Amino acid sequence: MSDKITRHILLLSGGKDSTALAIYMRDNHPEIEMEYVFCDTHKELPEIYEYLARIESYLGKRITKLSSEEGDRGFDHFLSIYRGYLPSPQMRWCTRQLKIEPFEKHVANDPVSLYVGIRADENREGFISTKPNITPLYPFKEAGITKDDVFRILQDSGVDLPKYYEWRSRSGCYFCFFQRKIEWVGLIEKHPDLFEIAKSYEKPEEGYTWIQGESLDDISRPDRVEEIKSQYAKRKLQLAAKRKPRTLAEIFSGEFSEEEDGTGCLICHL
Ligand code: SF4
């Protein structure tokens, strides 16, 4: 292993932090021959592919898209292996099967420096892989880059935010169980076809639903949609009353990224 040349890899999730890191590394460390990689679950939002194209055009480099569907081993294949048991925050089999394993297969035993976009103002540590040949590096932490800086990097580069930020705070699959109820409502309104597909995976009578204790059928009832919207509007007002002055991050990101809560998977949501 020691005779091999170290590969420098930056994993893009389609989210703002990994994107800002890609821009930051290209602009500040052009000497590093970086590989940009995206693990495609084939359950992504269309906005993600549009954003990746925008990032590629800024970087002037192709993003390698690792497909989880190679050899027909995509989400549906694993769902049948897990006997219809939908992934959940407690049982994130999707992250391992659709994101981490394709990535580990891609790097094999090569020594890798893996650039991770955790910011200096975040309290989380994170490993995407625990393989000994993969060394995580945290350039934003080292350089003291905060959320405001990330927005500045995205704005100055012209890459900006992905379009889904208008209604959702995280990258990842359209049916991701980490999304909040207001984001499910966003999916109903922005991508009703994808919402219907997400719904088709549920088996409420067996307790298999994306949201604990509530099916997507329930959540899409007009009265329930109105209730979720009104609860969200109230919460927004309460938050706005507490927050002064507004930060750059809040001004440029719209309402949804204000509520990042640090949960989620590093490989899917950075
Ligand atoms: S985005 Fe969500 S559903 Fe998709 S692989 Fe990641 S954790 Fe699983």
Side-chain angles (χ1 to χ4, degrees):
M1 188 171 100
S2 55
D3 293 342
K4 289 189 182 173
I5 295 172
T6 297
R7 290 166 69 182
H8 297 268
I9 300 184
L10 199 152
L11 263 175
L12 288 153
S13 68
K16 69 178 187 329
D17 292 328
S18 60
T19 303
L21 182 61
I23 295 166
Y24 175 87
M25 292 305 294
R26 194 209 79 149
D27 292 351
N28 291 281
H29 295 283
E31 75 285 2
I32 296 176
E33 190 51 51
M34 193 72 82
E35 288 177 49
Y36 301 98
V37 174
F38 173 74
C39 298
D40 190 350
T41 64
H42 297 269
K43 304 293 176 189
E44 316 282 342
L45 290 164
E47 291 94 322
I48 297 265
Y49 300 110
E50 185 271 328
Y51 196 47
L52 291 175
R54 227 189 301 162
I55 299 166
E56 274 182 334
S57 127
Y58 183 83
L59 297 173
K61 208 164 176 178
R62 215 173 63 81
I63 296 167
T64 304
K65 299 187 182 76
L66 304 180
S67 172
S68 65
E69 288 198 345
E70 239 175 69
D72 201 22
R73 289 167 63 80
F75 181 84
D76 297 339
H77 164 80
F78 288 108
L79 186 64
S80 70
I81 290 189
Y82 286 87
R83 295 167 189 255
Y85 193 99
L86 292 174
S88 66
Q90 295 73 36
M91 185 56 165
R92 304 177 194 183
W93 58 256
C94 49
T95 315
R96 166 132 297 277
Q97 304 291 358
L98 305 179
K99 295 269 184 183
I100 297 174
E101 290 205 349
F103 173 65
E104 290 183 340
K105 195 170 149 211
H106 176 69
V107 305
N109 291 321
D110 295 345
V112 167
S113 287
L114 180 63
Y115 295 78
V116 183
I118 297 181
R119 305 182 312 260
D121 58 345
E122 288 184 283
N123 253 339
R124 52 179 175 166
E125 292 298 328
F127 294 97
I128 282 170
S129 168
T130 49
K131 281 188 79 175
N133 54 312
I134 299 175
T135 308
L137 300 171
Y138 305 97
F140 278 173
K141 271 183 174 284
E142 279 165 29
I145 302 274
T146 63
K147 192 171 173 182
D148 258 9
D149 299 318
V150 159
F151 283 99
R152 199 169 289 115
I153 291 168
L154 292 173
Q155 225 211 359
D156 290 351
S157 66
V159 171
D160 229 314
L161 289 167
K163 231 178 151 1
Y164 63 79
Y165 259 61
E166 290 166 11
W167 57 279
R168 175 175 154 141
S169 62
R170 287 197 180 91
S171 48
C173 306
Y174 58 82
F175 50 48
C176 185
F177 43 84
F178 280 114
Q179 65 194 304
R180 291 165 298 141
K181 291 182 182 175
I182 189 68
E183 294 171 324
W184 280 109
V185 168
L187 188 66
I188 296 173
E189 291 176 348
K190 300 283 180 186
H191 298 289
D193 50 332
L194 298 181
F195 184 82
E196 286 305 312
I197 301 174
K199 207 161 86 174
S200 71
Y201 282 111
E202 292 193 321
K203 291 188 192 138
E205 58 297 342
E206 292 172 47
Y208 295 164
T209 51
W210 291 110
I211 307 166
Q212 218 183 353
E214 188 169 24
S215 71
L216 294 188
D217 217 16
D218 289 339
I219 215 178
S220 59
R221 282 192 340 256
D223 56 332
R224 183 66 178 122
V225 166
E226 281 318 305
E227 188 182 27
I228 292 168
K229 282 185 175 176
S230 120
Q231 283 166 349
Y232 179 68
K234 257 189 226 153
R235 198 171 131 66
K236 238 172 67 179
L237 279 178
Q238 284 164 353
L239 280 175
K242 278 193 219 155
R243 294 193 180 177
K244 290 182 232 163
R246 282 164 69 92
T247 64
L248 194 67
E250 287 170 11
I251 291 165
F252 289 117
S253 64
E255 56 200 66
F256 279 91
S257 71
E258 291 178 30
E259 299 191 33
E260 279 180 347
D261 54 10
T263 58
C265 296
L266 274 188
I267 197 165
C268 305
H269 301 130
L270 261 181

